[in-house]
Amino acid sequence: MPGILVYSEKHQVVRELLGKARQVADEKGMAVAAVYLGESVPEDLADLGAWGADTVYTVASPLLVGLNPETYTDALAGVIAEVKPELVLVGATKPGLEISARTAARLGAGVASFCVDFDFSAEGVVTAQCMIYSGVGINTYQIKTQPALATVAPAVFEAVKRDGSAVVTALDVSIRQPAMTILEYKEKAAAGVRWEDAPVIVDVGMGMSDKSHLGLAEELASLFEGQVACSRPVSSERDWFPEWLGLSGKKIHADLCITLGISGSIQHVVGIRDSKTIVAINSDENAGIFSQADYGVIADLHEFVPILVAALKARSAKLAR
Amino acid sequence: MKIVACIKYSLDASEVKVDAASKELKMAGVPYKVGVIDKHVLEMAVSLQEAYGGTVHAITVGPVSAKESFREALAMGLEEVVLIENPLEGQVAPDVTAVVLAEAIQKLGDVDLVVCGEVSDDGFTYQVPPRLAEALNMPLISFARTAAIENGRLVADRDLEDSVQTVSVPLPALISVVEESNTPRRPTLLEAMKAKKKPVNIWNVETDLGLSAADLQQKAALEKVSAEGVVVHRKRQILKGDDLNALSNELVDLLLADHILEGGA
Ligand SMILES: Cc1cc2nc3c(=O)[nH]c(=O)nc-3n(C[C@H](O)[C@H](O)[C@H](O)COP(=O)(O)OP(=O)(O)OC[C@H]3O[C@@H](n4cnc5c(N)ncnc54)[C@H](O)[C@@H]3O)c2cc1C
């Protein structure tokens, strides 16, 4: 009987959740299982054994399409009812946040949101550490229900490769016709860029005056094979990128993060603060980002970035290996 | 159409500071206000009411002392605010909030649409709208950027990480909106004056909703064991001056000295 069950619609997040689940389960002598939900079952699911799963439970149904939260909840709740895990970890993507809360409501279970660490007490009670107040603090909770659920943001835990092959078991779970109809499905452009894996991030904020200047950020990033990312309003108000960094966006742990015109609100900083070194460029010497950075340059980014790029090139400075 | 907007009197998380030595969260004096997301909830609810007729009622679970904080919300075009007196000590857990809101929505009766924010500014769990949908047994369109009523169905754009879906559900239904969904209106002086006559009705969970405060206390699935602030140590070295060439070379030197960069003599 599996102690820990993990689910995410994102393959990489499944591996990350398995990495941590495996580590804790080994200490406690528990089993680990992953859940796969979809229209049909891919061939290679046994490979999840190499990421820590003992078992992969699958539910296939023509109703499991378009991430419809109603049918995915039926399926996940059904799997949990059958497998009876102690703890269920769900990736804190938007679909994951919705179906975990719905599933928990049906099962009368608690959800620890934005969990960054967890353990089992000697009595088998789950304790979870969770981000609170936009990441200003961490609360430790005991989850009093069985099962206990926790949501975990992408890139919080590390995927760990090992030897092994998982047993794939198909479950027959009843899924109802949903009330929600999906009329149109539009993929976002450039979705799926893995900022989480980039060694260097150039992080653009509202201080960049115009999209024509994005080339400056791209040139700076290209010197280090890095990527350009942004704050929420740069994505949501200006639509320069499909995603953003921060509390409600992606979280990075780059070797070097250079912010350009970012004010330093906690909701943004929580997405970049796991970076090794942070450099902030902002024209306002009172900007909050300077207290969150290793090096701050008080300058107009549009003037400073070309000069910095020239200096890096002239001195052929590279990211240290 | 009867529309209910669920809003929250939230703690301003950006004002919570951490004592660097003790890692204690400094909560004293942190202000509370109707949240940023809630303005978008109210805008969505009121603009739907303007388009399709009916009334908008806001409900909230919070302390009675918040009563005066809903004047601006009322001025945006609400009929009333129902303030359900927080039955517990401190923050209410999302599982408990959903139960209380569901009961209040049932008591309001004949509700066609419930508008929520995707997530509260302070609690930040994303749990209340989906739990409320389950409790009311109504469909939910989450993370909505738009909303319209077409042929008796709610149609909206659902904004997920990698895609935007246009979806529809039958009414009555719930919708949870993202900040990007609209620009909240600013009430005029006249609207603000008129709002002074609008009611903030206070409900008690026991006498008005027939729930037991003791049961609700029992219901919260998470028990807080401890809390601490996150302290990240940064060098905080500031470079300033008019000579940008000198500043950029100074920055490169520092990054080389820290072994973040290499080469670059
Ligand atoms: C519940 C909630 C969740 C949120 N989640 C996120 C999230 O995940 N990610 C996120 O980013 N935000 C999030 N936010 C929003 C967040 O609070 C801030 O509003 C946002 O991060 C600000 O973005 P910014 O720093 O790019 O813009 P601003 O705050 O507008 O800052 C722009 C900065 O640029 C500087 N500047 C201006 N001109 C120049 C110039 N020429 N050269 C150099 N500097 C210049 C200014 O001094 C200023 O400091 C969230 C908010 C809430 C309430």
Side-chain angles (χ1 to χ4, degrees):
Chain A
M1 194 177 77
I4 307 174
L5 195 68
V6 317
Y7 174 73
S8 176
E9 79 285 0
K10 298 245 184 218
H11 306 310
Q12 175 60 21
V13 178
V14 171
R15 293 173 180 180
E16 291 164 8
L17 300 181
L18 284 173
K20 176 71 180 178
R22 181 80 260 162
Q23 181 208 325
V24 175
D26 281 347
E27 287 164 18
K28 308 287 170 189
M30 290 174 159
V32 174
V35 179
Y36 183 88
L37 311 174
E39 241 182 318
S40 59
V41 178
E43 299 269 311
D44 54 0
L45 286 178
D47 297 354
L48 284 174
W51 298 98
D54 299 308
T55 314
V56 182
Y57 293 104
T58 66
V59 180
S61 158
L63 294 174
L64 293 171
V65 282
L67 295 170
N68 190 315
E70 298 172 36
T71 57
Y72 278 72
T73 301
D74 281 353
L76 183 62
V79 171
I80 294 171
E82 193 113 336
V83 175
K84 301 189 174 60
E86 270 91 28
L87 173 63
V88 182
L89 300 175
V90 180
T93 59
K94 288 179 170 183
L97 289 163
E98 177 167 358
I99 70 164
S100 57
R102 281 175 170 271
T103 300
R106 285 192 200 170
L107 302 172
V111 184
S113 298
F114 295 94
C115 168
V116 292
D117 202 1
F118 67 87
D119 205 350
F120 291 86
S121 74
E123 300 77 38
V125 179
V126 178
T127 54
Q129 300 201 305
C130 299
M131 281 205 309
I132 53 156
Y133 304 140
S134 313
V136 178
I138 302 278
N139 267 2
T140 303
Y141 296 108
Q142 285 201 332
I143 311 177
K144 295 188 289 183
T145 57
Q146 161 117 31
L149 281 80
T151 57
V152 180
V156 167
F157 295 146
E158 213 175 319
V160 183
K161 186 116 198 225
R162 63 203 280 273
D163 287 334
S165 176
V167 177
V168 180
T169 305
L171 295 180
D172 189 18
V173 166
S174 111
I175 299 174
R176 293 165 297 174
Q177 200 66 41
M180 178 186 285
T181 310
I182 300 175
L183 304 169
E184 200 188 342
Y185 189 96
K186 287 163 277 190
E187 292 270 316
K188 287 187 187 171
V193 184
R194 288 275 304 174
W195 286 336
E196 298 94 320
D197 301 333
V200 175
I201 288 282
V202 177
D203 177 13
V204 172
M206 293 298 274
M208 182 171 281
S209 59
D210 190 280
K211 195 172 181 179
S212 64
H213 299 299
L214 260 188
L216 294 176
E218 276 154 13
E219 196 179 1
L220 181 56
S222 71
L223 295 178
F224 309 109
E225 290 164 35
Q227 291 193 19
V228 181
C230 68
S231 67
R232 179 166 177 163
V234 168
S235 167
S236 61
E237 286 171 30
R238 293 183 174 170
D239 233 2
W240 294 1
F241 294 86
E243 306 173 288
W244 59 81
L245 296 176
L247 183 65
S248 52
K250 300 236 158 166
K251 290 158 197 73
I252 55 162
H253 31 75
D255 292 330
L256 176 61
C257 172
I258 305 173
T259 74
L260 307 179
I262 292 272
S263 60
S265 70
I266 176 66
Q267 293 95 353
H268 184 78
V269 169
V270 71
I272 64 169
R273 72 180 175 199
D274 291 335
S275 299
K276 239 181 255 162
T277 297
I278 296 179
V279 172
I281 297 159
N282 194 304
S283 51
D284 174 7
E285 65 180 300
N286 296 318
I289 189 70
F290 289 130
S291 63
Q292 308 286 342
D294 295 289
Y295 302 113
V297 180
I298 301 165
D300 184 316
L301 74 95
H302 310 92
E303 294 172 24
F304 184 72
V305 174
I307 292 171
L308 177 61
V309 167
L312 287 162
K313 277 188 181 165
R315 299 174 62 174
S316 45
K318 295 263 172 303
L319 190 68
R321 296 282 149 199
Chain B
M1 205 164 65
K2 192 162 181 179
I3 304 174
V4 173
C6 299
I7 59 175
K8 187 173 180 195
Y9 182 64
S10 308
L11 170 148
D12 186 350
S14 61
E15 295 292 325
V16 179
K17 301 284 181 274
V18 180
D19 184 288
S22 67
K23 292 194 174 178
E24 205 175 314
L25 289 163
K26 292 191 267 188
M27 305 305 296
V30 175
Y32 280 77
K33 59 183 186 196
V34 174
V36 176
I37 187 72
D38 302 294
K39 301 271 170 65
H40 299 275
V41 170
L42 292 166
E43 178 60 41
M44 177 69 86
V46 171
S47 55
L48 286 169
Q49 180 268 328
E50 287 168 343
Y52 306 105
T55 52
V56 183
H57 310 253
I59 56 174
T60 185
V61 182
V64 173
S65 59
K67 195 168 183 241
E68 290 308 313
S69 310
F70 297 104
R71 291 288 151 218
E72 192 184 342
L74 284 165
M76 285 176 78
L78 305 180
E79 237 21 59
E80 62 171 337
V81 170
V82 174
L83 168 56
I84 305 156
E85 194 177 346
N86 178 2
L88 311 176
E89 295 279 312
Q91 295 267 349
V92 190
D95 38 358
V96 176
T97 305
V99 169
V100 174
L101 290 178
E103 205 59 45
I105 288 165
Q106 267 150 7
K107 177 168 164 135
L108 282 170
D110 300 319
V111 171
D112 300 288
L113 184 65
V114 178
V115 187
C116 302
E118 58 168 337
V119 64
S120 70
D121 289 17
D122 55 351
F124 213 80
T125 69
Y126 288 86
Q127 290 186 37
V128 172
R131 282 184 180 273
L132 191 52
E134 292 288 329
L136 292 169
N137 198 18
M138 282 184 198
L140 159 69
I141 301 182
S142 48
F143 312 112
R145 272 194 177 229
T146 61
I149 311 289
E150 289 171 18
N151 305 321
R153 289 175 74 92
L154 172 68
V155 181
D157 279 353
R158 183 168 176 246
D159 187 352
L160 304 180
E161 279 91 357
D162 299 341
S163 64
V164 178
Q165 306 179 337
T166 306
V167 301
S168 86
V169 296
L171 294 173
L174 289 92
I175 186 166
S176 83
V177 303
V178 297
E179 249 183 77
E180 290 77 25
S181 57
N182 56 45
T183 308
R185 68 193 63 197
R186 292 186 181 201
T188 62
L189 203 56
L190 186 65
E191 285 164 335
M193 294 291 287
K194 281 192 189 152
K196 286 195 176 146
K197 294 201 191 73
K198 292 184 180 175
V200 177
N201 296 312
I202 306 213
W203 287 7
N204 178 283
V205 287
E206 301 206 322
T207 53
D208 292 298
L209 298 180
L211 297 168
S212 145
D215 282 356
L216 292 172
Q217 184 85 52
Q218 277 293 312
K219 240 191 178 70
L222 267 54
E223 192 174 302
K224 186 167 107 182
V225 183
S226 61
E228 72 175 24
V230 175
V231 180
V232 183
H233 295 283
R234 292 285 168 195
K235 297 200 173 80
R236 301 183 188 183
Q237 189 168 339
I238 303 295
L239 316 183
K240 65 197 262 193
D242 293 332
D243 184 349
L244 297 187
N245 270 310
L247 289 187
S248 68
N249 278 310
E250 200 181 331
L251 178 60
V252 175
D253 288 339
L254 288 164
L255 293 172
L256 286 168
D258 281 353
H259 304 290
I260 303 297
L261 300 183
E262 64 183 18

Short mmCIF file of all heavy atoms in Angstrom, two decimals, chain A residues 205-207 231-234 244-249 261-265 267-268 281-284 287 299-302, chain B residues 36 121 124 179, ligand 1:
data_model
loop_
_atom_site.label_atom_id
_atom_site.label_comp_id
_atom_site.label_asym_id
_atom_site.label_seq_id
_atom_site.Cartn_x
_atom_site.Cartn_y
_atom_site.Cartn_z
N GLY A 205 11.33 44.09 -15.64
CA GLY A 205 10.16 44.62 -14.96
C GLY A 205 9.56 45.81 -15.69
O GLY A 205 9.98 46.15 -16.81
N MET A 206 8.57 46.43 -15.06
CA MET A 206 7.84 47.53 -15.68
C MET A 206 8.73 48.75 -15.92
O MET A 206 8.33 49.69 -16.61
CB MET A 206 6.64 47.92 -14.81
CG MET A 206 5.56 46.85 -14.73
SD MET A 206 4.80 46.45 -16.32
CE MET A 206 3.52 47.71 -16.38
N GLY A 207 9.93 48.75 -15.35
CA GLY A 207 10.85 49.85 -15.58
C GLY A 207 11.40 49.89 -17.00
O GLY A 207 11.95 50.90 -17.43
N SER A 231 8.36 40.17 -14.75
CA SER A 231 7.42 40.28 -13.63
C SER A 231 5.99 40.09 -14.15
O SER A 231 5.75 40.12 -15.36
CB SER A 231 7.55 41.64 -12.96
OG SER A 231 7.12 42.66 -13.84
N ARG A 232 5.08 39.94 -13.22
CA ARG A 232 3.69 39.66 -13.61
C ARG A 232 3.08 40.73 -14.52
O ARG A 232 2.53 40.40 -15.56
CB ARG A 232 2.83 39.46 -12.36
CG ARG A 232 1.37 39.20 -12.67
CD ARG A 232 0.64 38.68 -11.45
NE ARG A 232 -0.77 38.50 -11.73
CZ ARG A 232 -1.59 37.77 -10.98
NH1 ARG A 232 -1.14 37.16 -9.91
NH2 ARG A 232 -2.85 37.65 -11.30
N PRO A 233 3.19 42.03 -14.16
CA PRO A 233 2.53 43.01 -15.05
C PRO A 233 3.14 43.07 -16.45
O PRO A 233 2.43 43.38 -17.41
CB PRO A 233 2.68 44.35 -14.31
CG PRO A 233 3.69 44.12 -13.24
CD PRO A 233 3.69 42.67 -12.92
N VAL A 234 4.43 42.75 -16.58
CA VAL A 234 5.04 42.75 -17.91
C VAL A 234 4.39 41.67 -18.77
O VAL A 234 4.21 41.82 -19.98
CB VAL A 234 6.57 42.52 -17.81
CG1 VAL A 234 7.18 42.22 -19.17
CG2 VAL A 234 7.24 43.74 -17.17
N TRP A 244 5.31 34.54 -15.98
CA TRP A 244 6.10 35.49 -15.19
C TRP A 244 6.74 34.76 -14.02
O TRP A 244 6.42 33.61 -13.73
CB TRP A 244 5.23 36.63 -14.70
CG TRP A 244 4.06 36.20 -13.85
CD1 TRP A 244 4.09 35.89 -12.52
CD2 TRP A 244 2.71 36.03 -14.26
NE1 TRP A 244 2.82 35.55 -12.08
CE2 TRP A 244 1.96 35.62 -13.13
CE3 TRP A 244 2.05 36.19 -15.48
CZ2 TRP A 244 0.58 35.37 -13.19
CZ3 TRP A 244 0.68 35.93 -15.53
CH2 TRP A 244 -0.03 35.53 -14.38
N LEU A 245 7.63 35.48 -13.35
CA LEU A 245 8.28 34.94 -12.16
C LEU A 245 7.54 35.43 -10.92
O LEU A 245 7.04 36.55 -10.91
CB LEU A 245 9.73 35.41 -12.08
CG LEU A 245 10.66 34.95 -13.20
CD1 LEU A 245 12.04 35.59 -13.02
CD2 LEU A 245 10.79 33.43 -13.20
N GLY A 246 7.53 34.63 -9.87
CA GLY A 246 6.98 35.11 -8.61
C GLY A 246 6.06 34.12 -7.95
O GLY A 246 5.97 32.96 -8.34
N LEU A 247 5.40 34.64 -6.94
CA LEU A 247 4.49 33.85 -6.12
C LEU A 247 3.48 33.10 -6.96
O LEU A 247 3.26 31.91 -6.79
CB LEU A 247 3.79 34.82 -5.17
CG LEU A 247 2.84 34.24 -4.16
CD1 LEU A 247 3.57 33.36 -3.18
CD2 LEU A 247 2.13 35.36 -3.42
N SER A 248 2.82 33.84 -7.87
CA SER A 248 1.79 33.22 -8.68
C SER A 248 2.35 32.76 -10.02
O SER A 248 1.61 32.37 -10.90
CB SER A 248 0.63 34.19 -8.89
OG SER A 248 1.11 35.43 -9.38
N GLY A 249 3.66 32.81 -10.16
CA GLY A 249 4.30 32.39 -11.41
C GLY A 249 5.40 31.38 -11.16
O GLY A 249 5.30 30.56 -10.26
N GLY A 261 14.75 47.07 -13.83
CA GLY A 261 13.51 47.80 -13.62
C GLY A 261 12.45 47.01 -12.90
O GLY A 261 11.28 47.03 -13.26
N ILE A 262 12.87 46.26 -11.88
CA ILE A 262 11.96 45.51 -11.01
C ILE A 262 11.94 46.23 -9.66
O ILE A 262 13.00 46.55 -9.12
CB ILE A 262 12.50 44.07 -10.81
CG1 ILE A 262 12.42 43.27 -12.11
CG2 ILE A 262 11.83 43.37 -9.63
CD1 ILE A 262 11.12 42.55 -12.36
N SER A 263 10.73 46.47 -9.13
CA SER A 263 10.66 47.27 -7.89
C SER A 263 10.99 46.46 -6.64
O SER A 263 11.45 47.00 -5.64
CB SER A 263 9.28 47.90 -7.75
OG SER A 263 8.28 46.91 -7.69
N GLY A 264 10.72 45.14 -6.67
CA GLY A 264 11.10 44.31 -5.53
C GLY A 264 9.96 43.99 -4.59
O GLY A 264 10.18 43.76 -3.40
N SER A 265 8.73 43.91 -5.11
CA SER A 265 7.60 43.47 -4.26
C SER A 265 7.85 42.02 -3.84
O SER A 265 8.43 41.24 -4.59
CB SER A 265 6.30 43.56 -5.04
OG SER A 265 6.28 42.56 -6.03
N GLN A 267 5.91 39.60 -3.67
CA GLN A 267 5.30 38.59 -4.55
C GLN A 267 6.20 38.27 -5.74
O GLN A 267 6.13 37.19 -6.30
CB GLN A 267 3.93 39.05 -5.07
CG GLN A 267 2.87 39.16 -4.01
CD GLN A 267 2.76 40.56 -3.45
OE1 GLN A 267 3.57 41.44 -3.79
NE2 GLN A 267 1.77 40.79 -2.61
N HIS A 268 7.02 39.22 -6.13
CA HIS A 268 7.96 38.93 -7.22
C HIS A 268 9.24 38.28 -6.67
O HIS A 268 9.72 37.28 -7.21
CB HIS A 268 8.32 40.19 -8.00
CG HIS A 268 9.21 39.90 -9.16
ND1 HIS A 268 8.73 39.36 -10.34
CD2 HIS A 268 10.56 39.98 -9.32
CE1 HIS A 268 9.74 39.15 -11.17
NE2 HIS A 268 10.86 39.51 -10.57
N ILE A 281 19.24 46.34 -11.16
CA ILE A 281 19.47 47.63 -11.82
C ILE A 281 18.15 48.39 -11.79
O ILE A 281 17.14 47.91 -12.30
CB ILE A 281 19.99 47.42 -13.26
CG1 ILE A 281 21.35 46.70 -13.18
CG2 ILE A 281 20.12 48.76 -13.98
CD1 ILE A 281 21.76 46.00 -14.43
N ASN A 282 18.18 49.54 -11.11
CA ASN A 282 16.95 50.31 -10.94
C ASN A 282 17.36 51.79 -10.79
O ASN A 282 18.36 52.09 -10.15
CB ASN A 282 16.21 49.82 -9.69
CG ASN A 282 14.78 50.33 -9.64
OD1 ASN A 282 14.54 51.53 -9.68
ND2 ASN A 282 13.84 49.41 -9.53
N SER A 283 16.57 52.66 -11.37
CA SER A 283 16.93 54.09 -11.33
C SER A 283 16.53 54.76 -10.01
O SER A 283 16.96 55.88 -9.73
CB SER A 283 16.27 54.81 -12.51
OG SER A 283 14.90 54.51 -12.56
N ASP A 284 15.70 54.08 -9.23
CA ASP A 284 15.23 54.67 -7.97
C ASP A 284 16.03 54.10 -6.81
O ASP A 284 15.94 52.91 -6.51
CB ASP A 284 13.74 54.36 -7.80
CG ASP A 284 13.20 54.80 -6.45
OD1 ASP A 284 13.94 55.47 -5.69
OD2 ASP A 284 12.04 54.45 -6.16
N ALA A 287 14.32 51.90 -4.26
CA ALA A 287 13.58 50.70 -4.67
C ALA A 287 13.88 49.55 -3.70
O ALA A 287 15.03 49.32 -3.33
CB ALA A 287 13.97 50.31 -6.10
N ALA A 299 20.84 53.16 -11.71
CA ALA A 299 21.04 53.70 -13.05
C ALA A 299 19.80 53.45 -13.90
O ALA A 299 19.00 52.58 -13.58
CB ALA A 299 22.25 53.02 -13.72
N ASP A 300 19.70 54.21 -14.97
CA ASP A 300 18.66 53.96 -15.96
C ASP A 300 19.06 52.71 -16.74
O ASP A 300 20.13 52.66 -17.34
CB ASP A 300 18.54 55.17 -16.90
CG ASP A 300 17.39 55.00 -17.88
OD1 ASP A 300 17.23 53.89 -18.44
OD2 ASP A 300 16.65 55.98 -18.10
N LEU A 301 18.21 51.72 -16.72
CA LEU A 301 18.58 50.44 -17.32
C LEU A 301 18.88 50.59 -18.81
O LEU A 301 19.75 49.90 -19.35
CB LEU A 301 17.48 49.40 -17.07
CG LEU A 301 16.17 49.51 -17.86
CD1 LEU A 301 16.21 48.64 -19.11
CD2 LEU A 301 15.02 49.08 -16.99
N HIS A 302 18.15 51.49 -19.48
CA HIS A 302 18.33 51.63 -20.93
C HIS A 302 19.72 52.17 -21.27
O HIS A 302 20.27 51.87 -22.32
CB HIS A 302 17.26 52.55 -21.52
CG HIS A 302 15.88 52.17 -21.11
ND1 HIS A 302 15.26 52.72 -20.01
CD2 HIS A 302 15.02 51.26 -21.60
CE1 HIS A 302 14.07 52.18 -19.86
NE2 HIS A 302 13.89 51.30 -20.81
N VAL B 36 -6.70 43.47 -3.04
CA VAL B 36 -6.53 43.93 -4.43
C VAL B 36 -7.40 43.10 -5.36
O VAL B 36 -8.15 43.61 -6.19
CB VAL B 36 -5.04 43.81 -4.86
CG1 VAL B 36 -4.88 44.18 -6.33
CG2 VAL B 36 -4.14 44.66 -3.98
N ASP B 121 -5.38 37.73 -1.25
CA ASP B 121 -4.08 38.40 -1.14
C ASP B 121 -3.24 37.84 0.01
O ASP B 121 -2.02 37.78 -0.08
CB ASP B 121 -4.27 39.89 -0.87
CG ASP B 121 -4.80 40.65 -2.07
OD1 ASP B 121 -5.32 40.00 -3.00
OD2 ASP B 121 -4.70 41.89 -2.08
N PHE B 124 -3.71 33.07 0.30
CA PHE B 124 -2.98 32.53 -0.84
C PHE B 124 -2.98 31.00 -0.91
O PHE B 124 -1.95 30.37 -1.12
CB PHE B 124 -1.54 33.06 -0.87
CG PHE B 124 -1.04 33.23 -2.27
CD1 PHE B 124 -1.40 34.33 -3.01
CD2 PHE B 124 -0.28 32.25 -2.87
CE1 PHE B 124 -1.00 34.46 -4.34
CE2 PHE B 124 0.13 32.37 -4.19
CZ PHE B 124 -0.23 33.49 -4.92
N GLU B 179 -6.56 38.79 -11.65
CA GLU B 179 -6.36 40.25 -11.60
C GLU B 179 -6.42 40.89 -12.97
O GLU B 179 -6.78 42.06 -13.10
CB GLU B 179 -4.96 40.52 -11.02
CG GLU B 179 -4.97 41.13 -9.66
CD GLU B 179 -3.55 41.43 -9.23
OE1 GLU B 179 -2.99 42.42 -9.70
OE2 GLU B 179 -3.00 40.65 -8.42
C1 LIG C 1 -1.76 38.00 -4.72
C2 LIG C 1 -0.71 38.64 -5.59
C3 LIG C 1 0.16 37.83 -6.32
C4 LIG C 1 1.15 38.41 -7.11
N1 LIG C 1 2.01 37.58 -7.78
C5 LIG C 1 3.01 38.14 -8.48
C6 LIG C 1 3.98 37.31 -9.15
O1 LIG C 1 3.92 36.09 -9.11
N2 LIG C 1 4.97 37.92 -9.84
C7 LIG C 1 5.10 39.29 -9.91
O2 LIG C 1 6.03 39.77 -10.55
N3 LIG C 1 4.21 40.08 -9.30
C8 LIG C 1 3.16 39.54 -8.60
N4 LIG C 1 2.27 40.36 -8.00
C9 LIG C 1 2.37 41.82 -8.26
C10 LIG C 1 3.42 42.50 -7.42
O3 LIG C 1 2.87 42.86 -6.18
C11 LIG C 1 3.96 43.78 -8.11
O4 LIG C 1 2.89 44.60 -8.45
C12 LIG C 1 4.78 43.50 -9.36
O5 LIG C 1 5.72 42.50 -9.13
C13 LIG C 1 5.50 44.76 -9.79
O6 LIG C 1 6.19 44.53 -10.99
P1 LIG C 1 7.47 45.41 -11.41
O7 LIG C 1 8.49 45.36 -10.35
O8 LIG C 1 7.85 44.93 -12.77
O9 LIG C 1 6.83 46.87 -11.63
P2 LIG C 1 6.82 48.16 -10.72
O10 LIG C 1 6.45 47.85 -9.33
O11 LIG C 1 6.03 49.14 -11.49
O12 LIG C 1 8.34 48.63 -10.69
C14 LIG C 1 9.04 49.17 -11.76
C15 LIG C 1 10.40 49.57 -11.25
O13 LIG C 1 11.19 50.02 -12.33
C16 LIG C 1 11.98 51.12 -11.92
N5 LIG C 1 12.29 51.90 -13.11
C17 LIG C 1 11.48 52.73 -13.80
N6 LIG C 1 12.12 53.24 -14.84
C18 LIG C 1 13.36 52.74 -14.84
C19 LIG C 1 14.50 52.90 -15.68
N7 LIG C 1 14.48 53.69 -16.76
N8 LIG C 1 15.64 52.22 -15.35
C20 LIG C 1 15.70 51.43 -14.27
N9 LIG C 1 14.64 51.25 -13.45
C21 LIG C 1 13.49 51.88 -13.73
C22 LIG C 1 11.12 51.84 -10.92
O14 LIG C 1 11.96 52.59 -10.04
C23 LIG C 1 10.40 50.70 -10.22
O15 LIG C 1 11.11 50.30 -9.07
C24 LIG C 1 1.27 39.82 -7.19
C25 LIG C 1 0.41 40.61 -6.45
C26 LIG C 1 -0.56 40.06 -5.65
C27 LIG C 1 -1.46 40.96 -4.85
#
